[in-house]
Amino acid sequence: MIAYIGRRLSILFLILFGSSFLVYNLVAYSGDPTEGLRGNTDPKAIQALRSLIRNLQLDVPPPARYFLWLKKVVLNFDFGTTREGLSVASDLRTAIPTTIRLILMSTIIAIVIGIAFGIISALRQYTRFDYAMTFIAFVLFSLPVFWVAVLLKQFLAVSFNNFLANGQIAIWWIVVASIVSGIFWATIISGSRKRVWQVFGIAAAGSAISLELLSATHWFKHPTLGPVAVGVIGVGIAYGVTYLSVGLQNKQALKSSLAMVVASLVLYFPTQWVLNKEAGIFPTLGLLIFTIALAVVSGLFFSKIDRGPIVRTTVITSFLIGLVIIIDKLMKVWVPYINTDAINGRPIPTISENNSLLPAGNFWFSALDTVLHLTLPTLALSMISFAGYVRYSRGTLLEVLNQDYIRTARAKGLTERTVVMRHAFRNTLIPLTTIVVVDFAAIIGGAIITESVFGWRGMGTLFNQAIRGQDLNLFMGVFLVTATLTVLANLVADLLYSALDPRVRVVAG
Amino acid sequence: MKLPFTKAKKNVDADYASVDIANKEVEGLSQSQIVRRRFFRHRGAMISLFTLGALILFVFSALNNKIGPFGYHGWWHYGIDDQPELISKGCPQYVTGCPTFHWRPGFLGGKNFGFGDHPFGQDDIGRDYFALTMRGAQRSLTVVFIVGLVAGFIGTVVGAISGFYRGWIDAVLMRFTDFIITIPVIVLGSVIGFHFGNLGVSVLAVMLGLFLWTGLSRLVRGEFLKLRELDFVDAARVAGASNRRIIFKHVLPNAVGVIIVSVTLLMSGAILTETALSYLGFGVVAPDVSLGLLISQYQDSFTTRPWLFWWPGLLIVTIALCINFIGDGLRDAFDPRQRRRLSRKDKSSTVTGVKAGH
Amino acid sequence: MANPVLSVKDFTVEFWVDGVWYPAAVDMNFDIEPGKVTAIVGESGSGKSTTAMGIMDLLASNARMSGSVKVKGEEMIGAPKSLLRAFRGKEVAYIFQEPMTALNPVYTVGFQIVETLRSHFDMGPKEARVRAIELLTMVEIPNPEQSFDKYPHQFSGGQRQRAMIAQALACDPALLIADEPTTALDVTVQAEILDLMRGLKDRLNSAILLITHAMGVVADMADDILVMKNGLVVESGTSEEIFYRPQHPYTKELLGAVPKLGSSKQRTLPYSSDARPAPVLKIENVTIEYPKRGRIPAFIAVKDFSLEIFPGEIVGLVGESGSGKTTVGRAAIGLIPIKSGKIEIVGEDISHATQKDLAKIRRHTGIVFQDPASSLNPRLPIGESIGEPIFLAGLAKGDALNKNVEDLLDQVELPRSYRNRYPHELSGGQRQRVGIARALALTPDLLIADEPTSALDVSVQSRFLELLQELQDKLNFACLFISHDLAVVDILSHRIAVMQDGNLVEVGDRDRILRNANDAYTQRLIGAVPVPDPKEQAERRAARLAVSRK
């Protein structure tokens, strides 16, 4: 295994070497950084030209200059300086986390929702839901991200901010939303005509009532969950996760998950105290880890046999409940947050990655600020990658469902849930993982547009700046990071592939 | 990480009656007839094909065009260089150049259906926005087709050679594609666009095509690796066929499905790439016009003059959507595995086909 | 009748295609009692598998079933999903044809057995593991403890089928439905699996519904037989009635078409063994290696192999899968390079020939492949496929070429109008005829036939073999006939060569090999072939078991 990874890594370095050489020369020969200064007789310009040539070693021909650059990168981890004389490395240090933050959330959301809808689509092949999903996926697929971004800014951010001014949902909005929700659930459920209408009625009425309630109580102005809502949502999560993970007939898993819901409610107020007192990223993460540890204990306590699946179910449940509690906490700072001068009642921002006018030092303020700044870009990016995942997971699952071993699984008398989740989905994961990982690298490249639209200062912005300014060192610095991520992603994809598929598992040694 | 090629010993004629019966649908048709038939049945693809065709005719016939020594006159009364007077009559306050397109019937207080002088409005300096979007769409469509041709050709050739000859040729070509794949498309496009954008849209498209073939070549290679192991390739070799004949006569026609489908997807990607590049300022540059450029120029006018933003965007989406649906229809047509499902009405149908035992 | 395990009445399965219902199996009526084996035999498309799958509603969603299927008295047609699930695996278990694809590749064999057990019994993982290992021991898988944690791909084909059987028997089902359980296996393995199934059935008193196209397997196993054709049962009765007193013409035709080991006469050549002319094909001490590819190590497929084929002679090359027989066939006409040794065709040395050198021998050779689905280019009309060798040799063009193609189609008894058809419009047997026509287009001196009949139904196969014989009598080419089926080789060959694991085990006149084999492997191979005659097969089985017990 280690030998295999070693060999792959060495190939990886060769590819990086080859492609960086190629790109270095391509960029170096295709433009001249001194273009604006040449032919200028102003002594200052001549001086600037000289120092630029000296600093960037422009007197060395590009192929040779590449090796000078490479030597510094390899030996001292020194990426050189930009043409303004700033360190490329320090530019990268601030840009990388920004970009990662931008794409991580959207990728996770797109994957989870995309795969979920892909699976439902495949299981309901050639139904109205499937056709609708296909159509929506294609539409999303055909949307230019910069166009969507402007629409989102206008319709989501500006309208939502306007709406917050009074916090009342207009009646026609409630009607439309209820009908849409009714249609959505009615198309997912298959069954007799009567059942479809029932589902439609229940879903539409449910949505209408809850929206009206939220509107009447001015919930959007003072959003809050509180222990009761956390409890209700927690029970829902416990049932949902248990159903998907092991099936509801597994009473041990259900008990263990519900125990965690109870535990999180008992610990709700102590948790709030910790989150207020020790506001910060590490205490929050610490609490999350504590929750998961507690979940493991609970899983072990409630299970006698089959501990693995039960512990897994409990851990997923309590992780999700933990997230709900964090959301609850963020909602608690909502009112003070939107009333600060910097926000002035318009919380959804359309530009940049944080609000610099916000009073410093309040962790939950800046956390909420970050989340809100992420909203629009995350929505835009995940809408577009969502489409790809829906199509791909649908196609793969359909292919797997046609395999002989699915028929064997049915012939064994397994429940449909086990056939789909354990036998079909597990095999679907094999090609899906590869795509997801490789895609992740591609999105980093695509960040150049998203960052430009939303005015984030990440790697895309650096790329942009490097290309416009003919700034070779800056360009190569960013390129090296994205290229490394791309080849590493390919390696990870292959390793995951062999971890998931025993047929290609690398033999030890 | 491919599995070793193992040939399962299997009774090929093993009776899965459903398969046999499924073939009844295509009895007596040639391979390409079957594909065509399945494609024509794909409603989304047919609508898209029709829409795209009509759109191309509409867009290219609208304006005066010159290709080398040849040229033709468009049916629209403005060109992109005409600067008629900015009209503010009938527009909201402080807004000029709003669309003259109207449809509200007279009995509702409207002016009935009509285009007016500037159906899409005018830009800041009075140029007709309809003419501008038409030119932008022309540019985008040109890029799409040139990229499709160039990248499709290179990808097919590289993939075919790689997959057919294997060995060191394959290793070299695939390492080369690995190199290119490490560069994100949009970055590559930006570098290209920055330097070639001002040379005109065709040059830009060709340059893009020169780098966008990598995904396709991998697919074609995979298909060739699979096909070259089939018996009919050996049969052709025993019959005395040369490598060239085997590639062009025997393998390539069988890989055509994969190629067409992925070129379509490549083309739908190309329009988004081109518009994104133009949006960033790395693609088509002013004074030329592109849909991406128009959006980028007028995105801030959205609140006051939304039409400047809607039309180019909708055109991009329409073109990309059509190409995607056509690609989907082609994939279904070339991939016979998908079977239609029954509706409840069908389940109780009493129509029966041939009797058993005949 | 006592209490039948399975009782099928007026059972009909139809498929919905393109707006029309096509019947696949019509008005099936039969009962199976505990401990009995009922076989459904028939050729492809007869509806036998469809019937088997339809019993427990395992067909695709475009199928509908009517009539009545009762398992232990419970009606299955229209039964709620929960009842079907409770019966599947527990009362009715399936064994499928292709164990490689029928077992989930990402789970261990042990896990898949445990899963079956635990979904029907209230059983802990430890208990289930013990029971699974017990089952693996029962189906005679070596090292059951270790095998429990192995993945399907780590097993050989026979072991996989044993694991499949272990899984099927996990809940002591009352009825076992075996759909072509041995079709993908070698004869020696097939014999073992059949022995195993017979033993287990007797021990557990299960009923078996056996679906197969192989009459030998039926003769070996069945108590009762249903013969199906195009969705209808044409005849049914006890094994004795069907084999010794068949009534329906189709049954008679089917039985007549099955090649029977040792039923034909030794064919002779016009020259004696000491006055032989120069050989058409001469293979001397050839070793063939598949080179290392990625992490798959190099593999020697054929070791030190020697064989000569003389003009007008048919040499049968038999062996089990992986024995290297196909590799020899391909190397013999230069499709695979050899590592060492020498190959001569009509006096021409092709051991290390380049593409260009090989062009010369192309006129003297032809090849027919195993798989009719992949041996013809799906995008070429068959006339072009057949004419290609003539066209490339520069012998004819245009109308002359068409004339040639028509003559060739006449020779293989296909209508001339088929020239413009595409391969998918032809049946498997017709495609193999096209394959022969193409191979014989240049009237070669040497024909390599690589398992040309293994994918064909028996009746098609018998017609195909007759045709091949007629053509050989007329054109007098030499032929290397590669097959895993001794009965087929028996009909055609002058001499037989036997291969095992890349080695030539023995070679000799047909009669000597079949009746008087020296080598223990050859004897075992011959002993394992089931003959389509219940009484004779019972004797052969007893004899084989007696030998293996010693």
Side-chain angles (χ1 to χ4, degrees):
Chain A
M1 188 73 195
I2 290 167
Y4 170 73
I5 295 178
R7 202 169 56 232
R8 285 296 305 261
L9 278 176
S10 56
I11 295 175
L12 195 148
F13 276 116
L14 280 179
I15 290 179
L16 275 183
F17 170 74
S19 62
S20 62
F21 183 77
L22 203 76
V23 168
Y24 194 96
N25 287 292
L26 194 77
V27 177
Y29 277 115
S30 65
D32 180 7
T34 62
E35 207 177 319
L37 298 168
R38 271 192 208 283
N40 197 330
T41 48
D42 182 3
K44 263 194 194 150
I46 295 173
Q47 186 58 33
L49 181 66
R50 278 213 196 108
S51 71
L52 196 62
I53 290 177
R54 196 174 55 245
N55 288 342
L56 301 180
Q57 294 171 303
L58 295 180
D59 42 351
V60 184
R65 202 175 348 133
Y66 168 78
F67 286 99
L68 292 177
W69 172 83
L70 187 67
K71 195 177 127 197
K72 276 204 274 180
V73 169
V74 173
L75 294 183
N76 312 334
F77 219 65
D78 176 5
F79 292 92
T81 57
T82 64
R83 48 183 300 170
E84 283 81 31
L86 301 168
S87 154
V88 170
S90 72
D91 268 6
L92 285 177
R93 250 194 303 278
T94 54
I96 292 173
T98 310
T99 302
I100 297 279
R101 197 166 62 203
L102 175 68
I103 58 177
L104 195 63
M105 208 54 215
S106 61
T107 311
I108 292 173
I109 291 176
I111 288 171
V112 172
I113 302 183
I115 291 179
F117 278 91
I119 290 176
I120 301 175
S121 217
L123 295 179
R124 304 255 176 277
Q125 195 192 4
Y126 298 137
T127 57
R128 255 168 264 133
F129 177 81
D130 186 33
Y131 286 126
M133 220 51 240
T134 306
F135 185 76
I136 291 171
F138 275 130
V139 171
L140 294 180
F141 220 52
S142 315
L143 289 178
V145 65
F146 51 93
W147 194 66
V148 175
V150 176
L151 288 182
L152 284 178
K153 281 180 186 181
Q154 180 63 28
F155 288 112
L156 208 87
V158 176
S159 313
F160 186 76
N161 289 339
N162 290 342
F163 153 75
L164 265 194
N166 74 353
Q168 297 275 1
I169 307 175
I171 186 73
W172 65 270
W173 252 111
I174 295 182
V175 171
V176 169
S178 309
I179 291 173
V180 167
S181 144
I183 291 174
F184 175 79
W185 289 107
T187 46
I188 281 192
I189 307 295
S190 70
S192 64
R193 185 142 299 178
K194 194 178 146 206
R195 197 173 140 81
V196 169
W197 279 108
Q198 273 173 353
V199 172
F200 174 82
I202 293 170
S207 316
I209 292 170
S210 45
L211 281 175
E212 182 51 39
L213 270 178
L214 292 176
S215 169
T217 55
H218 295 268
W219 189 82
F220 289 100
K221 287 194 91 158
H222 319 281
T224 173
L225 291 177
V228 178
V230 169
V232 172
I233 295 173
V235 171
I237 290 175
Y239 271 90
V241 171
T242 310
Y243 173 73
L244 288 176
S245 167
V246 286
L248 286 179
Q249 74 280 9
N250 189 330
K251 292 291 173 246
Q252 296 167 349
L254 194 59
K255 272 185 208 158
S256 162
S257 300
L258 288 174
M260 279 310 291
V261 178
V262 173
S264 63
L265 284 181
V266 170
L267 294 175
Y268 180 79
F269 290 103
T271 312
Q272 296 298 319
W273 183 77
V274 175
L275 289 178
N276 284 328
K277 185 97 173 134
E278 301 286 333
I281 184 79
F282 292 109
T284 312
L285 281 181
L287 271 180
L288 208 54
I289 291 167
F290 173 75
T291 315
I292 287 170
L294 202 64
V296 173
V297 174
S298 160
L300 291 177
F301 176 78
F302 279 97
S303 57
K304 284 183 270 315
I305 50 171
D306 289 328
R307 299 206 136 141
I310 291 173
V311 168
R312 181 185 69 204
T313 312
T314 320
V315 166
I316 298 174
T317 308
S318 36
F319 177 76
L320 293 177
I321 294 174
L323 288 186
V324 171
I325 290 181
I326 292 177
I327 292 172
D328 178 51
K329 178 66 210 159
L330 285 174
M331 285 180 172
K332 286 203 162 82
V333 296
W334 175 263
V335 175
Y337 174 83
I338 57 172
N339 289 333
T340 52
D341 291 342
I343 306 303
N344 197 17
R346 303 191 71 79
I348 308 280
T350 55
I351 207 134
S352 100
E353 67 267 22
N354 55 25
N355 192 326
S356 50
L357 299 173
L358 215 60
N362 188 330
F363 170 75
W364 290 107
F365 262 35
S366 52
L368 184 58
D369 187 54
T370 308
V371 170
L372 291 174
H373 274 95
L374 270 172
T375 315
L376 285 192
T378 301
L379 209 60
L381 275 182
S382 43
M383 265 166 76
I384 285 161
S385 3
F386 162 82
Y389 294 128
V390 168
R391 293 302 294 162
Y392 199 76
S393 53
R394 174 184 180 271
T396 324
L397 186 62
L398 282 178
E399 204 151 291
V400 171
L401 283 173
N402 273 331
Q403 298 292 317
D404 286 357
Y405 52 76
I406 298 299
R407 190 178 56 186
T408 311
R410 290 220 171 88
K412 289 201 301 199
L414 303 180
T415 60
E416 203 53 26
R417 190 199 67 81
T418 315
V419 172
V420 172
M421 292 304 286
R422 193 187 280 165
H423 287 268
F425 184 58
R426 176 64 176 70
N427 278 284
T428 313
L429 275 181
I430 298 171
L432 208 56
T433 320
T434 322
I435 289 289
V436 166
V437 175
V438 175
D439 237 34
F440 189 71
I443 298 174
I444 297 179
I448 186 169
I449 308 169
T450 326
E451 286 178 11
S452 157
V453 191
F454 289 104
W456 284 47
R457 286 201 49 83
M459 287 200 288
T461 318
L462 290 188
F463 252 135
N464 209 330
Q465 181 189 333
I467 296 166
R468 282 179 210 282
Q470 303 284 353
D471 199 333
L472 190 52
N473 281 344
L474 185 57
F475 185 90
M476 289 309 291
V478 190
F479 169 77
L480 214 54
V481 174
T482 54
T484 311
L485 282 175
T486 312
V487 284
L488 273 180
N490 273 304
L491 176 64
V492 170
D494 280 356
L495 290 177
L496 276 176
Y497 198 99
S498 71
L500 286 172
D501 190 346
R503 285 164 295 183
V504 293
R505 200 158 284 172
V506 182
V507 188
Chain B
M1 283 214 167
K2 287 259 158 60
L3 287 170
F5 183 74
T6 50
K7 203 173 200 173
K9 191 165 101 190
K10 190 168 179 180
N11 190 336
V12 185
D13 276 0
D15 70 334
Y16 290 114
S18 59
V19 176
D20 271 2
I21 290 174
N23 285 338
K24 287 211 166 37
E25 201 181 336
V26 294
E27 247 168 12
L29 297 173
S30 85
Q31 202 83 0
S32 44
Q33 276 173 314
I34 297 173
V35 169
R36 221 172 303 142
R37 196 174 139 153
R38 284 206 204 98
F39 181 73
F40 287 155
R41 239 189 243 171
H42 193 290
R43 211 176 304 149
M46 285 316 291
I47 295 174
S48 301
L49 191 66
F50 181 76
T51 312
L52 189 65
L55 195 71
I56 290 174
L57 277 180
F58 184 79
V59 159
F60 277 93
S61 60
L63 306 177
N64 297 346
N65 254 328
K66 249 182 113 66
I67 311 155
F70 306 102
Y72 60 84
H73 290 287
W75 47 261
W76 188 241
H77 47 268
Y78 287 114
I80 62 163
D81 300 321
D82 300 332
Q83 282 190 27
E85 191 186 343
L86 251 175
I87 295 167
S88 57
K89 195 172 133 250
C91 294
Q93 222 177 349
Y94 309 124
V95 175
T96 51
C98 57
T100 54
F101 177 74
H102 48 84
W103 56 272
R104 198 184 293 228
F107 57 84
L108 287 176
K111 294 192 284 181
N112 289 327
F113 185 85
F115 289 108
D117 205 31
H118 302 287
F120 286 10
Q122 286 168 287
D123 76 351
D124 291 341
I125 53 171
R127 289 188 295 174
D128 181 51
Y129 207 62
F130 179 80
L132 289 177
T133 36
M134 288 302 111
R135 176 51 50 89
Q138 287 179 6
R139 292 299 182 242
S140 294
L141 286 166
T142 313
V143 170
V144 165
F145 287 104
I146 295 183
V147 169
L149 276 179
V150 174
F153 178 76
I154 302 179
T156 305
V157 169
V158 170
I161 291 177
S162 228
F164 187 79
Y165 288 100
R166 297 192 303 203
W168 66 268
I169 297 179
D170 179 32
V172 169
L173 287 175
M174 280 302 115
R175 282 303 82 77
F176 184 65
T177 48
D178 282 348
F179 289 169
I180 296 183
I181 283 175
T182 54
I183 317 170
V185 170
I186 202 84
V187 171
L188 196 70
S190 304
V191 176
I192 297 167
F194 187 73
H195 298 290
F196 298 98
N198 52 355
L199 294 182
V201 72
S202 315
V203 180
L204 175 75
V206 170
M207 292 306 294
L208 281 177
L210 285 181
F211 288 94
L212 290 179
W213 49 267
T214 47
L216 174 69
S217 80
R218 284 188 165 184
L219 284 174
V220 175
R221 171 178 175 266
E223 196 65 13
F224 264 67
L225 281 175
K226 202 172 77 197
L227 288 169
R228 79 189 298 284
E229 300 290 341
L230 293 181
D231 285 341
F232 69 80
V233 172
D234 279 337
R237 181 153 286 142
V238 172
S242 63
N243 281 336
R244 211 179 47 173
R245 186 179 163 90
I246 291 177
I247 291 177
F248 287 110
K249 186 102 187 164
H250 293 280
V251 187
L252 197 59
N254 285 291
V256 119
V258 171
I259 295 172
I260 290 183
V261 171
S262 36
V263 166
T264 331
L265 294 180
L266 196 144
M267 281 160 66
S268 82
I271 182 168
L272 295 183
T273 309
E274 182 271 330
T275 49
L277 288 178
S278 302
Y279 174 84
L280 289 173
F282 291 136
V284 173
V285 287
D288 205 347
V289 184
S290 142
L291 296 177
L293 195 62
L294 287 175
I295 292 178
S296 141
Q297 278 165 346
Y298 297 110
Q299 55 181 333
D300 296 330
S301 322
F302 188 79
T303 37
T304 50
R305 291 179 293 168
W307 56 88
L308 295 180
F309 173 83
W310 278 112
W311 290 114
L314 285 177
L315 266 173
I316 298 175
V317 176
T318 311
I319 296 170
L321 196 60
C322 285
I323 301 179
N324 273 322
F325 265 109
I326 293 170
D328 189 54
L330 287 169
R331 195 206 321 266
D332 277 3
F334 280 108
D335 184 1
R337 274 171 305 176
Q338 312 277 349
R339 228 177 305 152
R340 287 190 64 83
R341 204 182 141 121
L342 318 184
S343 70
R344 218 166 299 117
K345 200 174 73 197
D346 296 338
K347 273 259 179 197
S348 51
S349 155
T350 47
V351 187
T352 34
V354 287
K355 272 266 174 285
H358 292 280
Chain C
M1 282 239 186
N3 266 333
V5 177
L6 175 72
S7 174
V8 176
K9 292 246 156 11
D10 304 327
F11 181 52
T12 297
V13 184
E14 291 161 298
F15 286 98
W16 175 259
V17 179
D18 210 18
V20 180
W21 286 104
Y22 289 95
V26 175
D27 288 341
M28 305 285 295
N29 283 295
F30 61 95
D31 289 339
I32 311 181
E33 284 169 64
K36 292 284 183 199
V37 179
T38 296
I40 305 184
V41 294
E43 299 187 302
S44 27
S46 61
K48 53 190 195 299
S49 273
T50 309
T51 308
M53 296 301 143
I55 287 174
M56 290 313 279
D57 195 8
L58 288 176
L59 290 165
S61 59
N62 65 335
R64 74 170 175 194
M65 274 112 22
S66 57
S68 154
V69 170
K70 283 193 173 136
V71 177
K72 284 181 133 183
E74 289 276 356
E75 180 60 55
M76 290 292 122
I77 302 292
K81 288 229 148 73
S82 54
L83 182 74
L84 275 172
R85 263 207 304 277
F87 267 66
R88 287 177 189 163
K90 174 108 192 345
E91 304 295 348
V92 183
Y94 279 87
I95 302 173
F96 296 107
Q97 172 182 359
E98 186 69 64
M100 183 68 215
T101 56
L103 289 169
N104 195 328
V106 302
Y107 293 114
T108 61
V109 163
F111 177 85
Q112 300 189 49
I113 298 175
V114 164
E115 189 185 28
T116 316
L117 285 167
R118 297 194 59 200
S119 63
H120 291 291
F121 300 117
D122 184 21
M123 210 182 230
K126 290 216 182 81
E127 263 174 283
R129 189 190 159 96
V130 171
R131 169 81 177 128
I133 290 174
E134 207 179 286
L135 285 161
L136 289 173
T137 318
M138 194 164 83
V139 296
E140 295 159 24
I141 282 186
N143 302 324
E145 296 269 345
Q146 285 92 321
S147 299
F148 181 90
D149 293 316
K150 280 192 181 166
Y151 290 94
H153 72 276
Q154 292 168 306
F155 279 178
S156 70
Q159 284 172 341
R160 272 198 290 271
Q161 199 56 299
R162 282 168 193 272
M164 189 84 205
I165 294 175
Q167 176 183 287
L169 295 177
C171 304
D172 290 336
L175 172 67
L176 196 61
I177 299 181
D179 185 5
E180 304 269 8
T182 57
T183 305
L185 305 176
D186 284 323
V187 270
T188 51
V189 185
Q190 164 173 296
E192 289 166 21
I193 296 285
L194 293 180
D195 289 343
L196 178 73
M197 282 174 60
R198 189 178 308 103
L200 293 172
K201 172 204 71 171
D202 292 345
R203 237 160 80 192
L204 307 171
N205 203 29
S206 306
I208 295 182
L209 178 62
L210 177 71
I211 313 295
T212 184
H213 69 283
M215 295 308 280
V217 173
V218 178
D220 197 35
M221 295 284 292
D223 298 306
D224 297 292
I225 299 173
L226 287 92
V227 182
M228 281 187 83
K229 190 192 181 201
N230 292 342
L232 293 176
V233 176
V234 294
E235 186 167 5
S236 63
T238 63
S239 177
E240 291 229 333
E241 282 165 4
I242 299 288
F243 274 103
Y244 300 123
R245 292 180 296 281
Q247 301 298 316
H248 195 277
Y250 177 71
T251 315
K252 289 179 190 164
E253 185 197 317
L254 197 64
L255 286 169
V258 181
K260 213 175 140 198
L261 197 60
S263 60
S264 58
K265 283 207 197 104
Q266 165 83 49
R267 302 178 70 199
T268 49
L269 288 165
Y271 43 80
S272 70
S273 58
D274 21 74
R276 281 169 170 164
V280 179
L281 172 69
K282 190 172 172 189
I283 304 177
E284 259 177 40
N285 309 100
V286 161
T287 296
I288 302 169
E289 188 185 75
Y290 284 109
K292 184 169 167 290
R293 248 170 86 183
R295 273 178 297 114
I296 306 151
F299 158 71
I300 295 187
V302 176
K303 278 169 259 170
D304 201 22
F305 184 94
S306 300
L307 185 69
E308 285 178 336
I309 300 180
F310 297 95
E313 183 186 39
I314 298 184
V315 176
L317 182 59
V318 293
E320 299 190 301
S321 48
S323 62
K325 53 189 194 304
T326 293
T327 310
V328 168
R330 298 202 171 205
I333 51 168
L335 282 175
I336 297 177
I338 58 174
K339 194 176 175 222
S340 63
K342 191 173 161 193
I343 298 180
E344 271 180 24
I345 295 177
V346 224
E348 196 88 41
D349 186 354
I350 63 154
S351 318
H352 303 287
T354 61
Q355 286 286 348
K356 265 207 188 105
D357 302 337
L358 284 171
K360 273 179 273 174
I361 66 133
R362 293 296 182 217
R363 287 193 187 200
H364 305 290
T365 56
I367 183 166
V368 185
F369 293 97
Q370 169 181 4
D371 181 2
S374 77
S375 63
L376 294 173
N377 186 342
R379 303 229 161 235
L380 283 190
I382 61 167
E384 264 194 66
S385 284
I386 296 174
E388 190 171 33
I390 306 176
F391 173 76
L392 288 172
L395 295 179
K397 254 197 266 187
D399 285 344
L401 183 62
N402 286 344
K403 179 81 186 52
N404 274 334
V405 169
E406 280 171 4
D407 287 348
L408 283 163
L409 282 171
D410 287 348
Q411 265 187 13
V412 294
E413 296 167 359
L414 286 175
R416 288 179 176 191
S417 60
Y418 273 35
R419 192 155 58 86
N420 295 321
R421 290 208 177 183
Y422 285 85
H424 69 267
E425 298 175 77
L426 272 56
S427 71
Q430 288 172 330
R431 275 183 241 168
Q432 280 310 59
R433 287 173 189 224
V434 173
I436 286 218
R438 174 176 60 187
L440 298 180
L442 294 173
T443 51
D445 301 304
L446 173 68
L447 179 74
I448 310 284
D450 184 4
E451 304 254 18
T453 63
S454 68
L456 303 180
D457 281 325
V458 271
S459 57
V460 182
Q461 163 176 291
S462 91
R463 187 64 208 110
F464 180 85
L465 292 175
E466 269 171 40
L467 178 74
L468 191 66
Q469 258 182 24
E470 283 163 25
L471 286 171
Q472 205 260 344
D473 286 340
K474 200 158 80 190
L475 303 170
N476 208 32
F477 49 82
C479 176
L480 178 65
F481 191 93
I482 299 163
S483 180
H484 69 282
D485 189 343
L486 274 162
V488 171
V489 169
D490 175 36
I491 295 174
L492 284 176
S493 320
H494 299 100
R495 280 192 301 147
I496 293 179
V498 183
M499 278 188 87
Q500 185 195 15
D501 296 336
N503 294 307
L504 183 66
V505 175
E506 69 181 315
V507 56
D509 280 345
R510 188 200 78 158
D511 273 352
R512 189 186 69 65
I513 296 284
L514 286 185
R515 323 248 180 269
N516 240 326
N518 297 331
D519 188 86
Y521 175 73
T522 315
Q523 287 168 358
R524 206 148 56 80
L525 203 60
I526 294 169
V529 179
V531 294
D533 181 330
K535 283 181 195 147
E536 196 187 330
Q537 177 55 22
E539 284 164 25
R540 283 172 61 87
R541 185 169 66 226
R544 189 184 74 234
L545 292 175
V547 171
S548 66
R549 222 162 275 143
K550 262 187 253 165

